[in-house]
Amino acid sequence: MINIFSILFSFIFPLFLTISFIPILFRIGKNLKIVDYPDEERKIHKYPIPRTGGIAIAISIILTFYFLPKEKLIYYLLSFSLSFLAIGFLDDAGLKLRNIYKWLIGLLIVLIFFLLTPLKVKEIGNLLGFGNIKMNLFVSLIFSLFAINCVVNSFNLIDGIDGLAGSVSLISSLCFSFLNFKNSDFYLSYVSAGIAGASLGFLFYNFPPAKIFLGDAGSLFLGSFLTGISVFSAKGNFGNIKPIQCVLILSLPISDMIWVVLRRIFKRENIFGPDIHHLHYRILKKLNSQRKTLLILLIISLIFSFEAIFFEKFPDYILFIIFWINFLIVGVFDKILKG
């Protein structure tokens, strides 16, 4: 039986596992040349840094839920997340896939899991004030393919400065754990606590200046795991959290991704290409400090996550308006920094 003590244990166990495994993965990454080399355009670090931190997180999560109680849900989450980790690892290891190909492979993964598992968005709540919006199978398929793949990749996009993706993962997973526990969905709370513990363990080595990076494998693993948790936690699936609450929790990566894509469309640039116009790069350029940049973005992420907790009783359409306010805040902040 899962209780508060097993949830605490599911947080502490992967925390110490990740802390223990990262020095090993650091050496493996260095010896196998799975490293991120600095450049003058987008990279902030000044010497090669291993990109194997995400592998340590994944191993810790696998071991945690091997020894602790298991339900079907964890098999769905792990297989989904490890599929995305595999895409990222190919990139980290030197097989440079074009971003469009990674995106298309991601769509294929989401399609497979949509067809074979409950990983699908079936309803999105009363966002317009006219009643709960439920989707038929075809609409659910199209929406799930693009929404899930976008949110997964949003974590890859924000992984641009030391500590950011790991910290957003920590805040988001703790919020999911709290809300699921509050709703008596204890297994979802327990799983969320596990990814929070692993994220915190990683941050011991990734807080600026970082000794190791997540790599694409790690950012996609965290992104897919948290996206899976958000889908399973929502009403209409395993949990009882409002779908729009899940979106609020992940407002920072989602908003940043949407603004970046819109900017590239308006400038007629490749929407899948890398650039230095993400919010974290703009703040960093203004402050010239990774720690100050990280602090500002963590405060924003905390505020967005707290909205999901403290405004829980508000109607869905009010929370939907709050999300778009968050979105505009990110955009205005970005515009001010650019100007």
Side-chain angles (χ1 to χ4, degrees):
M1 179 180 176
I2 294 173
N3 53 37
I4 186 65
F5 298 106
S6 55
I7 291 172
L8 285 172
F9 186 76
S10 74
F11 175 83
I12 294 169
F13 191 52
L15 165 65
F16 284 105
L17 283 179
T18 306
I19 291 172
S20 302
F21 283 133
I22 282 184
I24 300 170
L25 268 299
F26 176 89
R27 288 192 293 273
I28 291 173
K30 204 168 182 181
N31 292 336
L32 297 179
K33 306 297 183 190
I34 305 175
V35 295
D36 197 352
Y37 292 98
D39 63 38
E40 294 182 358
E41 185 179 355
R42 295 173 56 244
K43 306 296 175 67
I44 302 163
H45 52 289
K46 295 180 171 54
Y47 53 89
I49 295 179
R51 306 178 66 178
T52 45
I55 306 298
I57 291 176
I59 293 171
S60 300
I61 291 296
I62 291 168
L63 288 175
T64 297
F65 294 109
Y66 178 80
F67 290 111
L68 295 177
K70 290 176 282 293
E71 292 183 8
K72 280 186 177 180
L73 175 67
I74 193 60
Y75 296 110
Y76 300 145
L77 278 171
L78 280 176
S79 53
F80 182 64
S81 304
L82 290 173
S83 300
F84 275 97
L85 179 143
I87 301 173
F89 183 73
L90 290 175
D91 201 64
D92 293 335
L95 182 61
K96 297 296 180 183
L97 296 173
R98 291 176 60 186
N99 288 334
I100 180 65
Y101 296 146
K102 289 192 283 187
W103 169 262
L104 291 174
I105 295 171
L107 282 179
L108 179 61
I109 292 170
V110 177
L111 174 61
I112 291 169
F113 277 83
F114 181 93
L115 296 174
L116 300 180
T117 77
L119 187 71
K120 49 182 69 74
V121 182
K122 296 180 284 190
E123 58 183 78
I124 54 176
N126 183 17
L127 299 185
L128 302 178
F130 303 117
N132 188 27
I133 301 172
K134 294 187 177 182
M135 293 176 274
N136 62 35
L137 185 63
F138 178 75
V139 175
S140 174
L141 171 62
I142 301 302
F143 184 87
S144 298
L145 280 176
F146 287 94
I148 292 174
N149 203 28
C150 281
V151 179
V152 170
N153 281 276
S154 71
F155 270 82
N156 187 242
L157 294 178
I158 65 164
D159 188 28
I161 65 168
D162 298 348
L164 181 55
S167 296
V168 172
S169 173
L170 172 63
I171 292 168
S172 303
S173 49
L174 285 175
C175 192
F176 280 121
S177 185
F178 174 80
L179 286 172
N180 279 308
F181 185 82
K182 187 169 175 286
N183 290 331
S184 300
D185 294 313
F186 299 121
Y187 195 79
L188 281 163
S189 177
Y190 160 83
V191 170
S192 303
I195 201 70
S199 299
L200 180 58
F202 170 71
L203 287 171
F204 277 88
Y205 298 91
N206 186 244
F207 193 81
K211 299 178 181 66
I212 194 168
F213 290 154
L214 278 172
D216 280 6
S219 60
L220 289 173
F221 180 82
L222 288 179
S224 51
F225 205 97
L226 283 166
T227 304
I229 286 174
S230 67
V231 172
F232 289 139
S233 296
K235 288 181 178 177
N237 215 312
F238 287 96
N240 288 290
I241 299 175
K242 296 177 180 179
I244 189 61
Q245 282 179 279
C246 299
V247 175
L248 283 176
I249 292 169
L250 301 174
S251 283
L252 179 59
I254 291 172
S255 297
D256 181 63
M257 178 198 63
I258 295 173
W259 279 116
V260 168
V261 170
L262 288 176
R263 191 182 301 113
R264 291 174 185 174
I265 290 172
F266 288 134
K267 291 184 176 181
R268 297 184 178 179
E269 297 174 349
N270 179 7
I271 63 170
F272 297 103
D275 63 30
I276 56 171
H277 303 303
H278 294 277
L279 180 60
H280 50 268
Y281 285 129
R282 296 211 193 275
I283 299 174
L284 180 63
K285 185 177 179 182
K286 203 79 171 178
L287 299 180
N288 196 31
S289 167
Q290 283 202 80
R291 291 193 175 194
K292 290 178 182 177
T293 301
L294 179 60
L295 178 61
I296 289 170
L297 290 168
L298 290 191
I299 291 171
I300 293 172
S301 183
L302 277 169
I303 291 171
F304 291 171
S305 293
F306 284 156
E307 289 170 352
I309 295 173
F310 294 120
F311 300 152
E312 183 179 18
K313 300 299 182 184
F314 284 29
D316 289 8
Y317 55 86
I318 298 297
L319 297 181
F320 192 46
I321 292 170
I322 291 172
F323 166 73
W324 287 111
I325 292 171
N326 293 346
F327 173 74
L328 290 173
I329 288 170
V330 170
V332 169
F333 197 26
D334 183 79
K335 188 71 174 176
I336 291 170
L337 291 167
K338 181 185 176 183

